[in-house]
Amino acid sequence: MRAEVLALVVIVGAATWAFRYLPFRLNLSALSAGGWPGRMLAATGPAAIAALFAVSVLPLLAGGVQAPFWAGTAAVIGLWFWCRSVVLATLGGALVYGVVFAI
Amino acid sequence: MQGWTRGRLTFSCIRVSLGGMMRQGESGFAAGLMAALPIVLGYFPIAFSFGVAGTRAGLGFAEVMAFSVIMYSGAAQFLAVALVSGGAPLLVSVFTLVAMGLRHLAYGPALMAAAGTRQQTRRAWVWAFGLTDEVFGTALGALSRGRRFSEPFMFGLGLAAYVAWVSGTAAGAAAGGGALAAYPAVEAALGFMLPALFLALLLSILSRAQLPVIAVAAVVTVGVTLLHSATSGILSGMVAGALAGLSRGRA
């Protein structure tokens, strides 16, 4: 294993762990008892997932053919509202994406 | 609670998520493992594609595995492979990836806000290692549907996801860079797995009160990403969405 790859993995891994753990250690939850910090923090989760979703779909929309994306997205939404199952929606959406892509 | 009620009414659908078969109050280690099933099924193929992408980029098996075992941050791993194979200097790569990981700072407080009163987090130094985007989203969704927060639940949730990610990476790295070359549709479907998972997680925590937050976060993320970079877009979208949460009234 190359030393620079190992260094990258260890440094970024340690930073990632710290980012995930430190908010609990520093007990930032005390800020969330009520008022504006609570409302802002409660909105952070949905905002984060929305941001990650937006970033993950941009490369798919940047390509020429978008039919697989829209079909897959519709499948995820439809399966979610039908079954309320994250796994079925995810796998079904990916399956539809692959099928439309193949067609 | 509204989502839980709606979920009970969808009896016509085969429920794969074992979490739905248990009472909402069960929050032990086993419940965490079962709640992780959607993540496990989603992670394995995504990690497989990471293993394939890593070996395709010229990384050795041990190097690819080190990313998943130590770094354990899916989106950052894909970006790291691109940086390493592109010959980016170590410091530039570190700075970029650490900045990308900053979003995790928001997960703990958001989780504790959803959990309600003060919760026991003595062993967070262990289970927080596994607090990935999807684990966070699943935990948040479970809490919003009425499940109690507990450390054993979080540990079970994180462990199952971690094992799936590491084993998927190993399978992909062992298969090699050309594993999916003959199956472009499968490769395309695997590429859609991550956005599909994010979308499903988003739907699982969707509520009328959060719609403005989600809309603002998505619009700002897209705008800043197009103008600058994906990392800036994620951070800006998160901050904008959180600030949008301030403008809405108490739930």
Side-chain angles (χ1 to χ4, degrees):
Chain A
M1 183 185 295
R2 287 169 286 178
E4 66 175 38
V5 172
L6 183 61
L8 177 68
V9 165
V10 170
I11 294 170
V12 177
T16 302
W17 172 80
F19 291 157
R20 289 171 179 169
Y21 166 60
L22 284 180
F24 296 103
R25 175 66 179 163
L26 299 175
N27 198 20
L28 298 180
S29 61
L31 296 173
S32 65
W36 68 267
R39 276 180 287 151
M40 193 171 80
L41 289 174
T44 304
I49 297 175
L52 291 163
F53 170 70
V55 163
S56 67
V57 301
L58 278 178
L60 300 175
L61 287 171
V65 182
Q66 295 183 358
F69 169 77
W70 293 114
T73 299
V76 171
I77 295 171
L79 282 168
W80 166 256
F81 282 106
W82 181 44
C83 299
R84 304 282 167 182
S85 166
V86 170
V87 65
L88 274 186
T90 303
L91 295 178
L95 179 65
V96 169
Y97 185 98
V99 168
V100 175
F101 180 90
I103 294 172
Chain B
M1 290 299 288
Q2 190 183 3
W4 177 82
T5 306
R6 286 198 303 260
R8 296 271 294 179
L9 295 174
T10 56
F11 51 85
S12 61
C13 176
I14 300 170
R15 296 182 65 86
V16 173
S17 172
L18 295 178
M21 298 177 184
M22 300 185 308
R23 290 203 307 264
Q24 295 296 311
E26 293 178 8
S27 298
F29 178 76
L33 289 176
M34 291 179 186
L37 185 60
I39 306 177
V40 168
L41 292 173
Y43 264 18
F44 190 89
I46 297 169
F48 182 90
S49 63
F50 170 75
V52 170
T55 51
R56 184 185 294 160
L59 298 179
F61 182 86
E63 290 174 333
V64 173
M65 289 306 296
F67 277 107
S68 285
V69 171
I70 300 171
M71 188 186 292
Y72 188 42
S73 184
Q77 289 181 219
F78 280 98
L79 181 59
V81 166
L83 289 168
V84 169
S85 61
L90 179 61
L91 278 178
V92 172
S93 300
V94 166
F95 180 81
T96 305
L97 295 169
V98 167
M100 191 174 184
L102 278 172
R103 69 183 186 279
H104 291 106
L105 278 172
Y107 291 176
L111 211 53
M112 290 298 96
T117 55
R118 292 188 180 200
Q119 300 292 339
Q120 188 73 262
T121 55
R122 268 190 314 176
R123 297 182 182 84
W125 65 275
V126 179
W127 59 258
F129 171 78
L131 196 59
T132 61
D133 303 321
E134 295 76 18
V135 168
F136 162 69
T138 301
L140 198 64
L143 290 171
S144 70
R145 290 191 297 273
R147 190 182 290 280
R148 261 188 317 111
F149 174 86
S150 81
E151 290 201 293
F153 177 82
M154 292 302 300
F155 188 70
L157 187 64
L159 182 65
Y162 182 67
V163 169
W165 185 262
V166 171
S167 57
T169 302
L180 298 177
Y183 309 99
V186 175
E187 192 168 23
L190 289 177
F192 186 67
M193 198 75 80
L194 194 61
L197 189 58
F198 283 137
L199 178 57
L201 288 174
L202 201 55
L203 290 168
S204 76
I205 62 169
L206 191 63
S207 69
R208 191 182 298 272
Q210 300 287 16
L211 271 177
V213 172
I214 290 168
V216 167
V219 168
V220 171
T221 300
V222 170
V224 176
T225 299
L226 293 176
L227 290 172
H228 195 254
S229 70
T231 298
S232 312
I234 291 171
L235 291 173
S236 305
M238 281 179 61
V239 171
L243 291 175
L246 282 175
S247 63
R248 62 189 173 87
R250 292 172 188 271

